Amino acid sequence: MRKILTTLDIAGAALLSACASSTGYAPAGYDSSYGFSERPIEQNRWQVSFSGNSLTDLDTVQTYLLYRAAELTTQQGFDYFVMVDRNVDEDTRFRSTGYGHASPFYYQVYHPRFGWRYYRDPFYDPFYNDFDMREVTRYRAMAEIVMGTGPKPADPKAYAARDVMMNLGPQIQRPEGY
């Protein structure tokens, strides 16, 4: 029996650690709703975005957006792109931890009509109000780009696509299997 529990514990820990990682560079919907996406607006104008999970920092989200814009530019046969519009959305929420299952005075009851109900006894529970709040922030960067061929313009919002890919490429972490 102890051997089975140990094997299950290891499998659960491996599954949990696989889920607890930042968003890798992959299309949204590849293995989650996070990642990059794009859509054409005109022949040489595209909207590009990258969404990160709560473990992906702002710098990584912006780097992946810039890399995707460069990658898309070369895939479409262009040499450079100009970021016409760029913004970042920040979604911050608070999650509670330690409330509910942590107390030995916590119990659950199944009712055929209402399903499972969870209860705590506040009169006998010394941990009744014992919980922590954790801040969870997710970032999503979006940009509208215009692609062009030939030498890069002198505009500070213009990027040479191949140079961006060469310089940012070592920072890109792709998920396993992509």
Side-chain angles (χ1 to χ4, degrees):
M1 181 67 174
R2 179 69 182 150
K3 189 173 186 177
I4 292 173
L5 289 177
T6 305
T7 306
L8 290 175
D9 290 341
I10 292 171
L15 182 62
L16 185 60
S17 68
C19 295
S21 63
S22 65
T23 305
Y25 183 80
Y30 174 71
D31 62 349
S32 71
S33 60
Y34 304 111
F36 63 79
S37 62
E38 69 273 333
R39 66 181 176 151
I41 299 172
E42 295 176 341
Q43 184 180 4
N44 67 336
R45 183 182 293 256
W46 288 70
Q47 185 179 42
V48 183
S49 68
F50 188 88
S51 296
N53 64 14
S54 61
L55 299 175
T56 309
D57 64 353
L58 178 60
D59 187 45
T60 302
V61 169
Q62 291 178 334
T63 299
Y64 287 6
L65 172 75
L66 193 58
Y67 188 83
R68 181 58 190 158
E71 188 177 57
L72 183 63
T73 299
T74 59
Q75 288 173 354
Q76 296 299 314
F78 293 97
D79 299 320
Y80 69 89
F81 63 95
V82 178
M83 289 233 180
V84 179
D85 186 28
R86 183 178 185 176
N87 60 29
V88 175
D89 287 339
E90 179 180 323
D91 180 25
T92 302
R93 296 179 184 188
F94 292 92
R95 307 242 176 192
S96 63
T97 59
Y99 187 75
H101 298 260
S103 172
F105 301 98
Y106 161 88
Y107 61 96
Q108 60 188 16
V109 176
Y110 180 78
H111 188 277
R113 182 172 175 189
F114 303 113
W116 286 101
R117 297 289 184 219
Y118 304 94
Y119 298 99
R120 294 176 59 131
D121 191 343
F123 298 109
Y124 297 107
D125 187 355
F127 308 106
Y128 180 67
N129 287 323
D130 188 21
F131 64 95
D132 296 323
M133 295 298 285
R134 182 172 61 99
E135 184 176 331
V136 177
T137 303
R138 294 185 182 104
Y139 298 102
R140 179 175 184 221
M142 295 161 287
E144 186 175 314
I145 63 170
V146 176
M147 304 172 191
T149 56
K152 176 184 84 161
D155 186 353
K157 294 182 180 182
Y159 298 87
R162 294 192 196 297
D163 289 347
V164 169
M165 290 176 63
M166 182 179 65
N167 292 325
L168 296 182
Q171 298 174 31
I172 304 301
Q173 295 181 358
R174 300 176 193 272
E176 196 172 307
Y178 175 73

